Amino acid sequence: MISLCVFGQGETFVPISLGGTYTVDCDATGPIFFTDDNSGSQDAQDPYSNQDYTITLCPETPDTTIWLEWTIFDLDGNSTITIYDGDSDEADELAQGSNNQLDGLVVVASEDNPTGCLTINFQSGANSSGDFVAGI
């Protein structure tokens, strides 16, 4: 596991393309955002071209859980994000969305999830467009 450390009060961006497993500092003083490859910029990432990224976000502290609050979710119909309740894409599926289906949704790792992790997969078609940002 790679630990994602946050220092000071600045924002931290975790782009989907980093992949792998990241430990999120839930006690960070600044906000942490899960993003597309734009790292939270105002411009939509256009185009996405046949991307397939998977990242797992895990809490730093035992007996805690990861949650995502989608503040921007605007993908085209050829792109999909799937969120799994655990530390791999073999875990139970919690949510899946395209277009604006997850906009405003809060997704929380379940009490039955011993890791507290969420795994997120992003797949896009050729010349897909849109962007996404979620607070962690």
PDB file of all heavy atoms in Angstrom, residues 31-52:
ATOM      1  N   PRO A  31      -9.055  19.441   2.385  1.00  0.00           N
ATOM      2  CA  PRO A  31      -9.943  18.508   1.678  1.00  0.00           C
ATOM      3  C   PRO A  31      -9.178  17.591   0.722  1.00  0.00           C
ATOM      4  O   PRO A  31      -8.141  17.964   0.182  1.00  0.00           O
ATOM      5  CB  PRO A  31     -10.888  19.430   0.910  1.00  0.00           C
ATOM      6  CG  PRO A  31     -10.160  20.723   0.789  1.00  0.00           C
ATOM      7  CD  PRO A  31      -9.251  20.829   1.968  1.00  0.00           C
ATOM      8  N   ILE A  32      -9.716  16.396   0.545  1.00  0.00           N
ATOM      9  CA  ILE A  32      -9.146  15.412  -0.373  1.00  0.00           C
ATOM     10  C   ILE A  32     -10.200  15.120  -1.431  1.00  0.00           C
ATOM     11  O   ILE A  32     -11.357  14.848  -1.105  1.00  0.00           O
ATOM     12  CB  ILE A  32      -8.756  14.114   0.356  1.00  0.00           C
ATOM     13  CG1 ILE A  32      -7.796  14.414   1.505  1.00  0.00           C
ATOM     14  CG2 ILE A  32      -8.139  13.123  -0.618  1.00  0.00           C
ATOM     15  CD1 ILE A  32      -7.525  13.218   2.399  1.00  0.00           C
ATOM     16  N   PHE A  33      -9.783  15.173  -2.703  1.00  0.00           N
ATOM     17  CA  PHE A  33     -10.706  14.965  -3.811  1.00  0.00           C
ATOM     18  C   PHE A  33     -10.233  13.823  -4.692  1.00  0.00           C
ATOM     19  O   PHE A  33      -9.061  13.742  -5.049  1.00  0.00           O
ATOM     20  CB  PHE A  33     -10.827  16.225  -4.668  1.00  0.00           C
ATOM     21  CG  PHE A  33     -11.406  17.397  -3.940  1.00  0.00           C
ATOM     22  CD1 PHE A  33     -10.582  18.411  -3.479  1.00  0.00           C
ATOM     23  CD2 PHE A  33     -12.764  17.480  -3.700  1.00  0.00           C
ATOM     24  CE1 PHE A  33     -11.105  19.494  -2.797  1.00  0.00           C
ATOM     25  CE2 PHE A  33     -13.305  18.552  -3.020  1.00  0.00           C
ATOM     26  CZ  PHE A  33     -12.463  19.566  -2.562  1.00  0.00           C
ATOM     27  N   PHE A  34     -11.163  12.958  -5.063  1.00  0.00           N
ATOM     28  CA  PHE A  34     -10.942  11.903  -6.050  1.00  0.00           C
ATOM     29  C   PHE A  34     -11.413  12.462  -7.387  1.00  0.00           C
ATOM     30  O   PHE A  34     -12.531  12.976  -7.483  1.00  0.00           O
ATOM     31  CB  PHE A  34     -11.742  10.660  -5.662  1.00  0.00           C
ATOM     32  CG  PHE A  34     -11.758   9.611  -6.716  1.00  0.00           C
ATOM     33  CD1 PHE A  34     -10.605   8.916  -7.034  1.00  0.00           C
ATOM     34  CD2 PHE A  34     -12.916   9.318  -7.393  1.00  0.00           C
ATOM     35  CE1 PHE A  34     -10.617   7.949  -8.018  1.00  0.00           C
ATOM     36  CE2 PHE A  34     -12.947   8.351  -8.372  1.00  0.00           C
ATOM     37  CZ  PHE A  34     -11.787   7.670  -8.684  1.00  0.00           C
ATOM     38  N   THR A  35     -10.561  12.414  -8.417  1.00  0.00           N
ATOM     39  CA  THR A  35     -10.857  13.121  -9.664  1.00  0.00           C
ATOM     40  C   THR A  35     -10.542  12.309 -10.912  1.00  0.00           C
ATOM     41  O   THR A  35      -9.877  11.283 -10.863  1.00  0.00           O
ATOM     42  CB  THR A  35     -10.024  14.422  -9.768  1.00  0.00           C
ATOM     43  OG1 THR A  35      -8.644  14.080  -9.978  1.00  0.00           O
ATOM     44  CG2 THR A  35     -10.146  15.273  -8.536  1.00  0.00           C
ATOM     45  N   ASP A  36     -11.006  12.864 -12.037  1.00  0.00           N
ATOM     46  CA  ASP A  36     -10.524  12.401 -13.333  1.00  0.00           C
ATOM     47  C   ASP A  36      -9.086  12.897 -13.486  1.00  0.00           C
ATOM     48  O   ASP A  36      -8.506  13.421 -12.543  1.00  0.00           O
ATOM     49  CB  ASP A  36     -11.437  12.891 -14.464  1.00  0.00           C
ATOM     50  CG  ASP A  36     -11.571  14.404 -14.495  1.00  0.00           C
ATOM     51  OD1 ASP A  36     -10.662  15.116 -14.024  1.00  0.00           O
ATOM     52  OD2 ASP A  36     -12.603  14.892 -14.985  1.00  0.00           O
ATOM     53  N   ASP A  37      -8.511  12.764 -14.652  1.00  0.00           N
ATOM     54  CA  ASP A  37      -7.111  13.143 -14.850  1.00  0.00           C
ATOM     55  C   ASP A  37      -6.864  14.643 -14.834  1.00  0.00           C
ATOM     56  O   ASP A  37      -5.728  15.083 -14.866  1.00  0.00           O
ATOM     57  CB  ASP A  37      -6.574  12.566 -16.163  1.00  0.00           C
ATOM     58  CG  ASP A  37      -6.351  11.077 -16.045  1.00  0.00           C
ATOM     59  OD1 ASP A  37      -6.265  10.573 -14.918  1.00  0.00           O
ATOM     60  OD2 ASP A  37      -6.262  10.415 -17.089  1.00  0.00           O
ATOM     61  N   ASN A  38      -7.917  15.447 -14.770  1.00  0.00           N
ATOM     62  CA  ASN A  38      -7.746  16.896 -14.722  1.00  0.00           C
ATOM     63  C   ASN A  38      -7.378  17.391 -13.337  1.00  0.00           C
ATOM     64  O   ASN A  38      -7.106  18.576 -13.167  1.00  0.00           O
ATOM     65  CB  ASN A  38      -9.033  17.608 -15.147  1.00  0.00           C
ATOM     66  CG  ASN A  38      -9.270  17.489 -16.612  1.00  0.00           C
ATOM     67  OD1 ASN A  38      -8.389  17.119 -17.361  1.00  0.00           O
ATOM     68  ND2 ASN A  38     -10.478  17.785 -17.031  1.00  0.00           N
ATOM     69  N   SER A  39      -7.406  16.531 -12.355  1.00  0.00           N
ATOM     70  CA  SER A  39      -7.110  16.893 -10.968  1.00  0.00           C
ATOM     71  C   SER A  39      -7.944  18.065 -10.492  1.00  0.00           C
ATOM     72  O   SER A  39      -7.460  18.991  -9.862  1.00  0.00           O
ATOM     73  CB  SER A  39      -5.620  17.191 -10.796  1.00  0.00           C
ATOM     74  OG  SER A  39      -4.872  16.028 -11.029  1.00  0.00           O
ATOM     75  N   GLY A  40      -9.218  18.050 -10.833  1.00  0.00           N
ATOM     76  CA  GLY A  40     -10.149  19.032 -10.320  1.00  0.00           C
ATOM     77  C   GLY A  40     -10.218  20.333 -11.081  1.00  0.00           C
ATOM     78  O   GLY A  40     -10.851  21.278 -10.631  1.00  0.00           O
ATOM     79  N   SER A  41      -9.604  20.419 -12.251  1.00  0.00           N
ATOM     80  CA  SER A  41      -9.691  21.673 -13.006  1.00  0.00           C
ATOM     81  C   SER A  41     -11.115  21.878 -13.499  1.00  0.00           C
ATOM     82  O   SER A  41     -11.934  20.966 -13.506  1.00  0.00           O
ATOM     83  CB  SER A  41      -8.725  21.658 -14.191  1.00  0.00           C
ATOM     84  OG  SER A  41      -9.261  20.925 -15.264  1.00  0.00           O
ATOM     85  N   GLN A  42     -11.415  23.061 -13.923  1.00  0.00           N
ATOM     86  CA  GLN A  42     -12.760  23.391 -14.386  1.00  0.00           C
ATOM     87  C   GLN A  42     -13.067  22.828 -15.772  1.00  0.00           C
ATOM     88  O   GLN A  42     -14.218  22.701 -16.149  1.00  0.00           O
ATOM     89  CB  GLN A  42     -12.942  24.919 -14.418  1.00  0.00           C
ATOM     90  CG  GLN A  42     -12.874  25.543 -13.042  1.00  0.00           C
ATOM     91  CD  GLN A  42     -14.005  25.077 -12.142  1.00  0.00           C
ATOM     92  OE1 GLN A  42     -15.127  24.909 -12.592  1.00  0.00           O
ATOM     93  NE2 GLN A  42     -13.718  24.856 -10.877  1.00  0.00           N
ATOM     94  N   ASP A  43     -12.045  22.513 -16.546  1.00  0.00           N
ATOM     95  CA  ASP A  43     -12.251  22.031 -17.906  1.00  0.00           C
ATOM     96  C   ASP A  43     -12.478  20.528 -17.925  1.00  0.00           C
ATOM     97  O   ASP A  43     -11.756  19.772 -17.286  1.00  0.00           O
ATOM     98  CB  ASP A  43     -11.039  22.356 -18.779  1.00  0.00           C
ATOM     99  CG  ASP A  43     -10.792  23.852 -18.869  1.00  0.00           C
ATOM    100  OD1 ASP A  43     -11.776  24.611 -18.922  1.00  0.00           O
ATOM    101  OD2 ASP A  43      -9.622  24.254 -18.869  1.00  0.00           O
ATOM    102  N   ALA A  44     -13.478  20.112 -18.668  1.00  0.00           N
ATOM    103  CA  ALA A  44     -13.735  18.674 -18.821  1.00  0.00           C
ATOM    104  C   ALA A  44     -12.586  18.030 -19.572  1.00  0.00           C
ATOM    105  O   ALA A  44     -11.957  18.642 -20.421  1.00  0.00           O
ATOM    106  CB  ALA A  44     -15.045  18.451 -19.582  1.00  0.00           C
ATOM    107  N   GLN A  45     -12.292  16.790 -19.208  1.00  0.00           N
ATOM    108  CA  GLN A  45     -11.242  16.049 -19.898  1.00  0.00           C
ATOM    109  C   GLN A  45     -11.825  15.522 -21.196  1.00  0.00           C
ATOM    110  O   GLN A  45     -12.609  14.589 -21.188  1.00  0.00           O
ATOM    111  CB  GLN A  45     -10.769  14.889 -19.038  1.00  0.00           C
ATOM    112  CG  GLN A  45      -9.935  13.911 -19.834  1.00  0.00           C
ATOM    113  CD  GLN A  45      -8.658  13.593 -19.150  1.00  0.00           C
ATOM    114  OE1 GLN A  45      -8.453  14.000 -18.036  1.00  0.00           O
ATOM    115  NE2 GLN A  45      -7.803  12.887 -19.802  1.00  0.00           N
ATOM    116  N   ASP A  46     -11.470  16.114 -22.291  1.00  0.00           N
ATOM    117  CA  ASP A  46     -11.982  15.691 -23.586  1.00  0.00           C
ATOM    118  C   ASP A  46     -10.838  15.451 -24.544  1.00  0.00           C
ATOM    119  O   ASP A  46      -9.997  16.325 -24.695  1.00  0.00           O
ATOM    120  CB  ASP A  46     -12.921  16.749 -24.171  1.00  0.00           C
ATOM    121  CG  ASP A  46     -14.199  16.898 -23.379  1.00  0.00           C
ATOM    122  OD1 ASP A  46     -14.710  15.879 -22.900  1.00  0.00           O
ATOM    123  OD2 ASP A  46     -14.671  18.032 -23.238  1.00  0.00           O
ATOM    124  N   PRO A  47     -10.803  14.394 -25.264  1.00  0.00           N
ATOM    125  CA  PRO A  47     -11.646  13.217 -25.022  1.00  0.00           C
ATOM    126  C   PRO A  47     -10.932  12.203 -24.147  1.00  0.00           C
ATOM    127  O   PRO A  47      -9.716  12.219 -24.029  1.00  0.00           O
ATOM    128  CB  PRO A  47     -11.833  12.659 -26.420  1.00  0.00           C
ATOM    129  CG  PRO A  47     -10.526  12.953 -27.096  1.00  0.00           C
ATOM    130  CD  PRO A  47     -10.068  14.280 -26.519  1.00  0.00           C
ATOM    131  N   TYR A  48     -11.712  11.319 -23.546  1.00  0.00           N
ATOM    132  CA  TYR A  48     -11.172  10.103 -22.946  1.00  0.00           C
ATOM    133  C   TYR A  48     -11.143   9.111 -24.086  1.00  0.00           C
ATOM    134  O   TYR A  48     -12.064   9.050 -24.883  1.00  0.00           O
ATOM    135  CB  TYR A  48     -12.098   9.540 -21.873  1.00  0.00           C
ATOM    136  CG  TYR A  48     -12.203  10.357 -20.618  1.00  0.00           C
ATOM    137  CD1 TYR A  48     -13.383  11.006 -20.283  1.00  0.00           C
ATOM    138  CD2 TYR A  48     -11.137  10.452 -19.748  1.00  0.00           C
ATOM    139  CE1 TYR A  48     -13.496  11.723 -19.117  1.00  0.00           C
ATOM    140  CE2 TYR A  48     -11.237  11.174 -18.578  1.00  0.00           C
ATOM    141  CZ  TYR A  48     -12.424  11.809 -18.269  1.00  0.00           C
ATOM    142  OH  TYR A  48     -12.538  12.520 -17.118  1.00  0.00           O
ATOM    143  N   SER A  49     -10.130   8.310 -24.169  1.00  0.00           N
ATOM    144  CA  SER A  49     -10.060   7.360 -25.263  1.00  0.00           C
ATOM    145  C   SER A  49      -9.742   5.967 -24.733  1.00  0.00           C
ATOM    146  O   SER A  49      -8.603   5.676 -24.379  1.00  0.00           O
ATOM    147  CB  SER A  49      -9.005   7.794 -26.271  1.00  0.00           C
ATOM    148  OG  SER A  49      -9.040   6.968 -27.403  1.00  0.00           O
ATOM    149  N   ASN A  50     -10.774   5.134 -24.652  1.00  0.00           N
ATOM    150  CA  ASN A  50     -10.624   3.738 -24.246  1.00  0.00           C
ATOM    151  C   ASN A  50      -9.822   3.572 -22.960  1.00  0.00           C
ATOM    152  O   ASN A  50      -8.940   2.730 -22.878  1.00  0.00           O
ATOM    153  CB  ASN A  50      -9.989   2.932 -25.384  1.00  0.00           C
ATOM    154  CG  ASN A  50     -10.859   2.925 -26.611  1.00  0.00           C
ATOM    155  OD1 ASN A  50     -12.065   2.732 -26.526  1.00  0.00           O
ATOM    156  ND2 ASN A  50     -10.263   3.170 -27.758  1.00  0.00           N
ATOM    157  N   GLN A  51     -10.131   4.362 -21.953  1.00  0.00           N
ATOM    158  CA  GLN A  51      -9.431   4.255 -20.683  1.00  0.00           C
ATOM    159  C   GLN A  51     -10.065   3.177 -19.817  1.00  0.00           C
ATOM    160  O   GLN A  51     -11.272   2.936 -19.866  1.00  0.00           O
ATOM    161  CB  GLN A  51      -9.448   5.596 -19.943  1.00  0.00           C
ATOM    162  CG  GLN A  51      -8.619   6.633 -20.660  1.00  0.00           C
ATOM    163  CD  GLN A  51      -8.559   7.944 -19.890  1.00  0.00           C
ATOM    164  OE1 GLN A  51      -9.289   8.169 -18.944  1.00  0.00           O
ATOM    165  NE2 GLN A  51      -7.663   8.818 -20.312  1.00  0.00           N
ATOM    166  N   ASP A  52      -9.238   2.526 -19.021  1.00  0.00           N
ATOM    167  CA  ASP A  52      -9.688   1.508 -18.081  1.00  0.00           C
ATOM    168  C   ASP A  52      -8.775   1.583 -16.866  1.00  0.00           C
ATOM    169  O   ASP A  52      -7.686   1.021 -16.860  1.00  0.00           O
ATOM    170  CB  ASP A  52      -9.638   0.126 -18.721  1.00  0.00           C
ATOM    171  CG  ASP A  52     -10.230  -0.959 -17.830  1.00  0.00           C
ATOM    172  OD1 ASP A  52     -10.638  -0.662 -16.689  1.00  0.00           O
ATOM    173  OD2 ASP A  52     -10.267  -2.116 -18.278  1.00  0.00           O
TER     174      ASP A  52
END
